[in-house]
Amino acid sequence: MRKLTHCRWLLLGLLGLLPLTTLAQVQTTDPNSAALPETDTWGSTPYALQITPYAWITGLSGESSPFKRAPSLDIEKSFSDVLHNLRAAAFLNTWARRDRYVLNSDLLYVNTRENEVVGGLPLVGAAQGTVDTRLFMATLQGGYRVYDSEQASLDALAGFSYWDIRTRAHLSTAGRTKHHEENFHWVDPMIGLRAFYRFTPELSSHAQIHLGGFDVGSRLSYQATLTLNYDLSEHFSLAAGYKVLDVKYRRAGHVFDTRMSGPVLGLSWRY
């Protein structure tokens, strides 16, 4: 399978096929619910709430085809490549606990744009293509704290992740502009574990691992996050670590078979 820039494939494919059959890359994701963790005040109160906006410095590799009539292409992008095409991004994790019952939600939004001009084409001369891609993911999980002490805890989680990928392509050539848009979405059931361990009153670590898909939405998805957390005050803490997300989706001509991995950094507010 050849590695091509998506916009160049778009222009050549459109000139050969009249309807748009292009490929755009979808980046950053996150899959699903393994976002940055809370730093709980274990045992001090039956209630806890934490909100964490975070950044994920991730590259993207794998295979993608957001259009039904387009062949899938290999993707290999570093973080700098992702950043170059990035228009907007937002990541937010919310965690809540009541006694031994826990609730975890994670929201991910990424909007990218890629432009390319191809010259010297037969009959039309030059063509300019633009591909806009939007990725939205929302995860909700509930769970139960199976182990709890002043120093450590372990939560068992279950829930679902909703994915929505929308791609819009524009081709301008010989004074004419063509547009084409497609989107696809799916829901993945998810199960997981989350562990917390406190080294000192200010320093702690957090680990999560999640498994989902099971051929209900995607064929399989998994993710893992490990962070080191430092309490700045009673209500604020910093979290830094590493996150991996792998998802394999192939249905109805759409392909999103990708792996994202890289450092994460977040600032948590808790109550």
Side-chain angles (χ1 to χ4, degrees):
M1 188 172 298
R2 297 187 305 164
K3 295 186 178 180
L4 303 176
T5 63
H6 296 109
C7 281
R8 185 173 296 273
W9 184 93
L10 161 68
L11 301 180
L12 298 177
L14 278 178
L15 291 172
L17 292 179
L18 233 334
L20 285 171
T21 53
T22 184
L23 173 69
Q25 56 200 333
V26 179
Q27 43 213 12
T28 207
T29 163
D30 167 10
N32 229 269
S33 61
L36 291 177
E38 86 288 352
T39 309
D40 201 353
T41 50
W42 311 114
S44 61
T45 173
Y47 303 95
L49 172 67
Q50 178 169 294
I51 300 174
T52 306
Y54 65 97
W56 189 13
I57 307 171
T58 178
L60 179 68
S61 62
E63 192 177 341
S64 179
S65 177
F67 294 126
K68 290 182 179 179
R69 291 170 291 181
S72 59
L73 296 181
D74 289 341
I75 302 172
E76 193 67 46
K77 294 183 70 89
S78 65
F79 173 70
S80 61
D81 296 328
V82 173
L83 190 62
H84 178 73
N85 298 318
L86 187 65
R87 300 179 68 194
F91 308 91
L92 180 68
N93 179 256
T94 303
W95 176 88
R97 175 178 63 86
R98 179 177 180 179
D99 297 319
R100 285 184 174 267
Y101 297 97
V102 297
L103 185 68
N104 183 70
S105 70
D106 192 57
L107 299 177
L108 176 152
Y109 175 82
V110 178
N111 192 319
T112 64
R113 170 170 289 180
E114 185 179 1
N115 298 287
E116 187 161 339
V117 176
V118 178
L121 298 173
L123 302 179
V124 297
Q128 179 175 358
T130 300
V131 178
D132 293 327
T133 302
R134 188 199 72 181
L135 169 64
F136 174 76
M137 187 276 294
T139 296
L140 181 64
Q141 287 184 311
Y144 187 78
R145 181 149 297 173
V146 296
Y147 176 79
D148 193 11
S149 72
E150 290 295 327
Q151 191 173 29
S153 69
L154 178 65
D155 300 336
L157 299 169
F160 64 90
S161 291
Y162 172 78
W163 293 76
D164 183 76
I165 299 173
R166 185 179 303 272
T167 304
R168 177 180 295 177
H170 314 270
L171 175 68
S172 299
T173 180
R176 301 174 60 189
T177 301
K178 296 181 181 293
H179 307 276
H180 184 69
E181 180 177 338
E182 287 188 27
N183 78 296
F184 59 103
H185 52 267
W186 72 91
V187 176
D188 278 343
M190 301 294 300
I191 58 174
L193 291 173
R194 178 175 56 192
F196 176 90
Y197 186 84
R198 184 173 294 280
F199 300 103
T200 70
E202 295 82 19
L203 190 64
S204 61
S205 66
H206 183 99
Q208 291 194 58
I209 184 167
H210 298 265
L211 186 65
F214 310 117
D215 214 21
V216 175
S218 65
R219 292 182 180 179
L220 183 68
S221 64
Y222 68 86
Q223 58 183 309
T225 306
L226 177 63
T227 63
L228 193 64
N229 317 304
Y230 184 80
D231 291 351
L232 301 174
S233 66
E234 181 183 356
H235 297 291
F236 289 94
S237 63
L238 283 175
Y242 200 84
K243 177 176 179 178
V244 177
L245 169 66
D246 192 292
V247 58
K248 303 182 186 303
Y249 178 86
R250 294 173 179 265
R251 287 184 184 270
H254 293 124
V255 176
F256 188 59
D257 187 347
T258 59
R259 178 184 177 89
M260 292 160 276
S261 60
V264 287
L265 180 65
L267 177 64
S268 298
W269 173 84
R270 64 181 180 273
Y271 175 78

